[in-house]
Amino acid sequence: MTREVLVPERCEVVVIPAVTERVRIPAVTERVRIPAVTERCWVPEVRERCWVPGHYETRTDSRGCECKVWISGHYETRIVRAGHYEERVVRPECWEERIVRPECWEVRIVTPERRETRVIEKARCETVVVRPERREVTVEKVWVPGRWEERLRPVRS
């Protein structure tokens, strides 16, 4: 005895990888003004030695009398400019390019990854020979109330 059996088609799922490309992304910079760097420093007084010629000077004594006194010529140290603090520029103000985001490479997907089902073998019909199934059973007689009964039990192998 035979019968027709349909054998389904065999398929496989194929993963086609994504197509990518590397793209260079340039650095992002901004122009920043950097103020001048100054330091406060002490400038000592400027002194100058100069000649003072002889001259008469009028002086008042303790009783209020005025008298003229001769002062001979001499050198005198005069302060031309008093000592003071001064702001000195260490580095002048300037502009600087600062990097906001560094240069990098980015991978971009041109074609995304996809899955395809491919048929390996087409569906077909096969003719199969059908044989009757062979079963082994044991017959047991069991007493049930009022009568004997035969029970079939399969043999376990």
Side-chain angles (χ1 to χ4, degrees), residues 19-150:
V19 177
T20 58
E21 65 180 0
R22 283 187 76 197
V23 179
R24 183 182 153 274
I25 297 173
V28 177
T29 59
E30 68 179 352
R31 199 163 185 237
V32 179
R33 184 183 152 276
I34 297 177
V37 176
T38 58
E39 68 177 356
R40 192 169 186 237
C41 57
W42 173 253
V43 178
E45 59 193 15
V46 178
R47 295 178 181 192
E48 184 180 72
R49 216 181 133 154
C50 59
W51 174 255
V52 179
H55 61 280
Y56 280 101
E57 215 174 73
T58 307
R59 291 192 180 168
T60 309
D61 62 5
S62 60
R63 289 180 287 222
C65 297
E66 284 187 7
C67 60
K68 289 196 174 196
V69 178
W70 173 254
I71 299 200
S72 60
H74 61 279
Y75 279 99
E76 211 176 67
T77 304
R78 289 187 182 164
I79 296 173
V80 176
R81 198 163 137 205
H84 59 282
Y85 280 99
E86 196 176 81
E87 293 287 326
R88 289 197 181 152
V89 176
V90 176
R91 192 184 75 219
E93 85 173 37
C94 61
W95 291 87
E96 187 179 86
E97 291 289 325
R98 288 223 178 124
I99 295 173
V100 177
R101 196 182 75 221
E103 175 183 311
C104 62
W105 289 87
E106 188 178 89
V107 176
R108 290 194 180 153
I109 296 173
V110 178
T111 309
E113 175 185 34
R114 66 182 196 272
R115 296 177 185 275
E116 283 185 3
T117 305
R118 293 187 181 163
V119 176
I120 298 172
E121 192 179 316
K122 288 186 177 178
R124 65 184 191 284
C125 287
E126 283 185 355
T127 306
V128 179
V129 176
V130 180
R131 292 190 187 143
E133 189 178 307
R134 185 168 168 247
R135 291 173 56 195
E136 283 185 41
V137 289
T138 55
V139 178
E140 254 181 29
K141 285 195 174 184
V142 179
W143 176 260
V144 288
R147 62 186 169 86
W148 286 92
E149 201 174 86
E150 288 185 0

